[in-house]
Amino acid sequence: MPIPKKKAGEKQKDFMMRCVPQLMQYHEKSQAIAICYKSFQGEEVELETYNDYPKGARNNAKKAIEFKEKNGSSCGTQVGWTRARQLANGEKLTRKTIARMASFKRHQQHKDVPYTEGCGGLMWDAWGGSAGVNWAINKLKQIDKK
């Protein structure tokens, strides 16, 4: 996820109006503002991201994607399938993304629904399954301790 760069002659207000909404896809608003401010000032900004999730989370996401590609499915949202691709590809995730994964625990009661009988099990696996959701919960605690 690239951080927007200041355009020649661009005013800070205009840059912030362009930069902050872009980064809010990945970060909390206050973090996005801080990152954009530093970037406008010309500081090099390195974002903390994480991909130390367990192999089981990657495998669960791959299994869900493979099922959808082979059988089709109207289950889930674009966000859910984006998450599945991120996990399957081993991509680095921001704190905000990890927090969204952790909040997916609310769907745990549907995790055992067979893929062919509903969306619960398929989307649970798309979000990394129990391995991914439990990792996210613990990782979030670890990040927030810093």
Side-chain angles (χ1 to χ4, degrees):
M1 167 213 38
I3 299 169
K5 299 288 183 202
K6 176 182 167 185
K7 296 176 183 175
E10 187 172 26
K11 294 181 180 175
Q12 181 176 344
K13 178 183 176 187
D14 295 331
F15 176 76
M16 296 297 280
M17 294 288 289
R18 182 170 59 86
C19 178
V20 172
Q22 245 180 294
L23 291 185
M24 281 180 57
Q25 298 175 55
Y26 308 99
H27 299 281
E28 301 299 326
K29 185 176 182 179
S30 60
Q31 292 172 313
I33 291 169
I35 292 165
C36 291
Y37 180 77
K38 287 179 181 180
S39 180
F40 183 82
Q41 300 300 322
E43 290 182 42
E44 195 66 33
V45 182
E46 180 121 359
L47 304 177
E48 281 199 61
T49 55
Y50 311 87
N51 68 345
D52 59 336
Y53 37 85
K55 189 175 180 181
R58 287 185 75 173
N59 291 339
N60 288 333
K62 286 178 186 179
K63 185 170 70 169
I65 291 168
E66 288 169 9
F67 178 86
K68 182 180 180 183
E69 288 174 352
K70 183 177 178 186
N71 303 291
S73 175
S74 60
C75 293
T77 64
Q78 182 178 353
V79 171
W81 290 110
T82 296
R83 191 73 57 247
R85 285 188 297 281
Q86 288 173 320
L87 292 169
N89 295 333
E91 294 178 19
K92 292 185 174 189
L93 307 175
T94 63
R95 185 212 174 275
K96 185 173 183 178
T97 298
I98 294 167
R100 291 183 85 169
M101 282 180 67
S103 73
F104 204 76
K105 183 158 179 79
R106 69 188 183 277
H107 297 291
Q108 185 174 10
Q109 71 269 20
H110 305 294
K111 72 181 178 84
D112 294 324
V113 173
Y115 289 7
T116 56
E117 294 179 22
C119 297
L122 179 62
M123 294 317 299
W124 181 256
D125 283 347
W127 283 78
S130 296
V133 172
N134 290 334
W135 169 84
I137 291 166
N138 292 325
K139 189 68 175 184
L140 199 54
K141 289 176 188 173
Q142 179 187 357
I143 292 168
D144 290 347
K145 274 186 182 178
K146 290 182 183 181

